[in-house]
Amino acid sequence: QAQHFQEDQITKLEKPKFLFFLRMMYYSISSSFRIDTICYHDNKKYSKFSNKQAGESRLHHPKKSFSFSIKPNLHFQKLKMGMSQQKITQNFPPPPSFLPHLASMSFRQIIFSSLSKLIAPPLDLSIDPSHVLTENFAPVEEMDPIECPIEGELPPSLHGAAYIRNGTNPQYKPQRALHIFEGDGMLHSLRFSEGDRAVYSSRYVRTYKFMIERSRGAAIIPTFFSGFYGLIDIASVFTYLWELVRSRVNPMNHGFGGANVSLGLLGKKLLALNESDLPYIMNLTDDGDIETVGRWDFDEGLLASMTAHPKFDKDTKETFAFRYLSLLHPYLTFFKFDQNGVKQNEVKISSMERLCFIHDFAVTKRFLIIEETQLAASIAKVLLGRGSMFYYNPKNTPRFGVLPRHATDESELMWFQAPGFNAMHYINAWENEEDDDEIILVGTNVISLENLLSRRVRSSLDKVIINMRTGKVSRKTLSPRCLDLGSINPNYAGKRNKYAYMSVMEEIPRTSGVVKIDLETGVEVASRIFGDGCYGGEPLFVRKNIDNKAKENGASSDVDDEDDGYVLSYVHDEKSEESKFIVMDAKSPDLQIVAAVKIPRRVPYGFHGIFLSKEDLLSLKN
């Protein structure tokens, strides 16, 4: 059953008084001045707390934003004046010489600097909200369904269909650190009618996190991926834990994820996904609007979660998934759903002895493949305020685990070491037709894993061959370019395929173009760069429907060429502040744009999307 949340059903939290006191103490010490004037600001709209005012410092509190002007402490001024008057009537010792006075000032500066770093150390730009939430990464408001002008002609394959993309869009600016991976999920949808019409809308996914923070008017859920830095962040964690003890919040049963990574179609349900939580069921209305139905728990227990990248088999109609964010051993569990969306057996992986970050996995016709990466996790780092709970551990050797798809336990699980390979996304995987003992994977290898929190992560597109008979793992780099956020023809998932459509990464998740890669040779057979100041996101391949080929090609055909289709993406022009949805011809050497939809406002950069055919939309209603 889906869990419904209403604003009036959520208990408002009390003010974290200790955290507020710690903040006040820090700002008082850091300035050596007193707080002269305090003004309250309504921070419900992002624009009202996005910038500092000239000559004014900003202090954020979980419920209100405080701004205070800095003025010299009058108590110190009066004391100084009094001492000057006494000097006239009494014989005080001469003032200290310059050098001892300078030494005293330096000592005080060292003490102040140490206290500042201990209480609230400065944040790196990659996790500083004032830097992260800028330009087209800044959040936008929701938008009701609105018809958009179209340049060119939409192909018949899109008629009656919909395209939806997920991404982060924080409704409130966090108190401290924020990585672009965290934030409230917002869906940007385009609904195409049978005629040449397109309706755009954007809506938040109304998660438990979203609703409880909206009732409070501030960001209160800790950001575990972004990390915790200094005493202020540690105090916020323990304040949150105290609220858990007092049952003021209930993430154990309701989750704390933002449903901001991707979307999936599972058992006639449209799902918004994030690996730190369970899926949220969404509904797309006839007029193009988006509704949150509720959290889908499919009889899971406390602190349950599911991958943001479930794998669907078109032949068997099964969906495979896993969860890994369990704080207790075993850390990894596989499970699957039948064609009706009913959860089947679980397989707990006890041989994975350490908690690590796992974002994606691969599926062939016979096997599930998961990788244990070098990105380890530590709860101690959170409690000590030493940054993100995830960190790069070069002592760990990456390894693949291969499990038969229909295994009931891990007795048949095999592990294979893969030094130097840390996958972020798998493009596809299949079994070698000439050698059943070989599994071939294509995925993005994160080269600079130690800089994962940075938005400029270096990666390459690699092909990996696992020989289950000999235990040998070989790897070949198909493209040294920084490529990620790719897609293939979905009919070839789990089967040998030739083409992948990859984003040219500028910084996560902003992309400068799309390349079509031949997975046999690594040659870029087609490409499109969006142009100066223009950036996009994930290129999603959509095949031509066989029924529409007569209309599009002028003749009927039963042949499904792998690259016979279109590539879809949102693109934003940072100079004109305009966003478009573009449709590219996947077969053309320059990925020619055949149609574009002008969006009435900018669409922030996001992550993964989904294409829902006319048949998919009909199945959601049944």
Side-chain angles (χ1 to χ4, degrees):
Q1 295 295 324
Q3 299 176 11
H4 298 265
F5 303 113
Q6 303 295 332
E7 293 188 27
D8 57 359
Q9 293 177 336
I10 299 176
T11 304
K12 293 187 178 181
L13 305 181
E14 294 182 355
K15 298 177 182 178
K17 298 179 181 178
F18 173 71
L19 179 59
F20 174 62
F21 169 77
L22 191 61
R23 287 178 174 275
M24 296 289 287
M25 181 182 72
Y26 166 68
Y27 281 100
S28 298
I29 292 174
S30 65
S31 61
S32 295
F33 298 113
R34 72 178 177 85
I35 298 178
D36 181 70
T37 306
I38 296 180
C39 302
Y40 293 91
H41 293 268
D42 176 10
N43 65 356
K44 289 186 178 180
K45 291 187 177 180
Y46 178 81
S47 60
K48 292 191 177 181
F49 55 70
S50 58
N51 297 313
K52 294 183 179 179
Q53 300 178 10
E56 198 176 68
S57 295
R58 300 298 301 271
L59 174 62
H60 295 290
H61 181 264
K63 187 168 185 179
K64 299 180 177 67
S65 290
F66 295 83
S67 65
F68 55 89
S69 58
I70 300 299
K71 294 186 179 181
N73 192 317
L74 297 182
H75 174 71
F76 294 149
Q77 288 186 346
K78 291 178 181 178
L79 179 61
K80 183 177 179 181
M81 292 174 61
M83 291 180 63
S84 299
Q85 293 173 358
Q86 292 178 19
K87 186 178 178 180
I88 298 175
T89 59
Q90 301 183 28
N91 293 323
F92 280 89
S97 62
F98 173 74
L99 289 178
H101 180 64
L102 181 61
S104 177
M105 291 180 60
S106 300
F107 178 74
R108 290 199 300 269
Q109 181 62 32
I110 292 173
I111 296 298
F112 157 68
S113 177
S114 299
L115 286 174
S116 298
K117 292 180 180 179
L118 179 64
I119 297 174
L123 299 174
D124 186 83
L125 291 180
S126 62
I127 53 173
D128 185 345
S130 300
H131 176 75
V132 173
L133 301 178
T134 57
E135 301 177 338
N136 199 40
F137 290 96
V140 294
E141 298 291 336
E142 293 183 319
M143 179 169 280
D144 295 334
I146 182 173
E147 187 170 345
C148 306
I150 299 173
E151 300 173 350
E153 184 177 349
L154 293 174
S157 293
L158 270 62
H159 292 176
Y163 171 78
I164 312 174
R165 201 217 61 203
N166 205 342
T168 62
N169 195 81
Q171 64 170 330
Y172 298 111
K173 185 179 181 181
Q175 301 168 32
R176 287 279 285 164
L178 177 73
H179 191 272
I180 195 62
F181 290 166
E182 293 185 301
D184 301 291
M186 175 174 276
L187 306 185
H188 300 268
S189 169
L190 274 170
R191 181 74 181 265
F192 308 104
S193 68
E194 289 293 345
D196 215 25
R197 296 177 64 246
V199 174
Y200 168 82
S201 68
S202 62
R203 295 293 183 194
Y204 279 107
V205 183
R206 278 158 169 74
T207 62
Y208 178 75
K209 172 186 181 297
F210 175 88
M211 298 300 291
I212 200 168
E213 289 186 340
R214 172 154 289 196
S215 71
R216 180 64 185 274
I220 62 171
I221 304 297
T223 54
F224 290 94
F225 191 92
S226 303
F228 304 93
Y229 306 83
L231 290 178
I232 283 184
D233 289 353
I234 295 175
S236 68
V237 173
F238 281 96
T239 299
Y240 181 70
L241 293 176
W242 176 242
E243 298 298 338
L244 289 179
V245 173
R246 302 178 64 194
S247 299
R248 299 285 183 173
V249 291
N250 190 8
M252 301 291 185
N253 289 318
H254 303 312
F256 57 86
N260 58 17
V261 175
S262 64
L263 296 124
L265 191 61
L266 198 164
K268 299 181 180 180
K269 296 180 179 68
L270 174 62
L271 304 176
L273 301 161
N274 179 299
E275 55 229 321
S276 64
D277 203 345
L278 290 174
Y280 276 80
I281 303 173
M282 311 302 297
N283 180 44
L284 189 62
T285 65
D286 291 335
D287 63 352
D289 207 351
I290 311 170
E291 301 171 338
T292 302
V293 178
R295 187 172 182 254
W296 186 33
D297 62 12
F298 44 82
D299 298 325
E300 288 292 281
L302 300 178
L303 286 177
S305 63
M306 190 182 94
T307 175
H309 291 290
K311 306 300 181 184
F312 177 68
D313 189 314
K314 284 184 173 292
D315 296 330
T316 65
K317 310 299 181 185
E318 295 174 309
T319 300
F320 297 87
F322 70 91
R323 63 170 176 268
Y324 77 95
L325 283 176
S326 172
L327 300 181
L328 300 175
H329 191 267
Y331 302 117
L332 175 66
T333 300
F334 279 111
F335 49 93
K336 67 177 180 178
F337 301 87
D338 64 17
Q339 61 181 350
N340 298 316
V342 178
K343 184 185 173 188
Q344 304 297 302
N345 62 301
E346 285 190 351
V347 179
K348 298 183 182 298
I349 309 300
S350 299
S351 55
M352 180 175 281
E353 299 177 353
R354 56 188 173 86
L355 178 62
C356 66
F357 180 79
I358 305 173
H359 183 63
D360 200 1
F361 74 123
V363 177
T364 69
K365 288 304 172 186
R366 293 188 296 156
F367 299 102
L368 307 175
I369 303 100
I370 198 78
E371 188 190 12
E372 190 175 36
T373 68
Q374 292 176 292
L375 196 63
S378 171
I379 302 301
K381 289 188 65 181
V382 173
L383 300 179
L384 295 175
R386 295 174 51 201
S388 172
M389 68 179 293
F390 296 105
Y391 67 98
Y392 170 61
N393 188 347
K395 296 181 180 179
N396 295 334
T397 300
R399 60 176 185 163
F400 288 107
V402 179
L403 181 73
R405 277 177 33 160
H406 300 291
T408 57
D409 56 49
E410 67 167 332
S411 61
E412 298 181 72
L413 176 66
M414 295 177 289
W415 287 103
F416 304 90
Q417 290 195 344
F421 187 80
N422 288 280
M424 179 59 68
H425 293 108
Y426 292 102
I427 307 305
N428 199 15
W430 62 89
E431 298 154 29
N432 192 339
E433 298 173 354
E434 300 175 357
D435 187 347
D436 288 344
D437 291 322
E438 280 191 351
I439 295 176
I440 301 171
L441 303 95
V442 177
T444 54
N445 180 27
V446 182
I447 300 172
S448 56
L449 193 64
E450 65 275 15
N451 298 322
L452 185 66
L453 285 180
S454 170
R455 296 212 311 232
R456 294 187 179 273
V457 177
R458 294 191 302 116
S459 63
S460 61
L461 183 65
D462 290 6
K463 177 185 285 187
V464 178
I465 300 177
I466 302 173
N467 191 305
M468 295 183 292
R469 183 181 66 257
T470 64
K472 180 181 178 181
V473 177
S474 59
R475 177 164 56 94
K476 173 186 176 182
T477 297
L478 294 174
S479 175
R481 297 183 68 172
C482 190
L483 304 176
D484 203 350
L485 297 179
S487 68
I488 64 170
N489 184 328
N491 280 5
Y492 288 79
K495 306 173 185 176
R496 181 176 180 176
N497 74 303
K498 187 175 183 179
Y499 299 115
Y501 302 85
M502 305 296 301
S503 295
V504 181
M505 301 300 299
E506 287 292 314
E507 57 177 343
I508 300 174
R510 187 173 71 162
T511 69
S512 60
V514 182
V515 295
K516 178 182 177 181
I517 297 283
D518 186 324
L519 300 182
E520 295 292 333
T521 63
V523 174
E524 296 180 4
V525 296
S527 67
R528 169 163 291 276
I529 303 301
F530 297 133
D532 185 30
C534 295
Y535 301 94
E538 175 192 57
L540 186 66
F541 179 89
V542 174
R543 68 185 185 92
K544 289 182 181 179
N545 293 333
I546 293 178
D547 293 341
N548 288 324
K549 284 189 176 182
K551 301 177 183 178
E552 298 183 32
N553 299 336
S556 62
S557 174
D558 292 330
V559 179
D560 184 17
D561 295 337
E562 182 185 339
D563 61 345
D564 195 8
Y566 303 97
V567 180
L568 316 178
S569 181
Y570 283 116
V571 175
H572 178 70
D573 188 331
E574 295 187 349
K575 294 182 179 179
S576 64
E577 291 293 317
E578 294 181 348
S579 293
K580 291 183 179 181
F581 169 80
I582 61 172
V583 182
M584 296 170 277
D585 182 358
K587 272 184 171 287
S588 64
D590 59 351
L591 299 177
Q592 179 186 2
I593 297 177
V594 298
V597 179
K598 297 184 66 175
I599 310 300
R601 62 96 182 275
R602 67 180 180 87
V603 178
Y605 303 121
F607 301 125
H608 303 286
I610 189 172
F611 177 78
L612 300 172
S613 66
K614 182 179 179 181
E615 292 74 19
D616 292 333
L617 293 175
L618 290 175
S619 71
L620 294 177
K621 297 180 180 180
N622 299 327

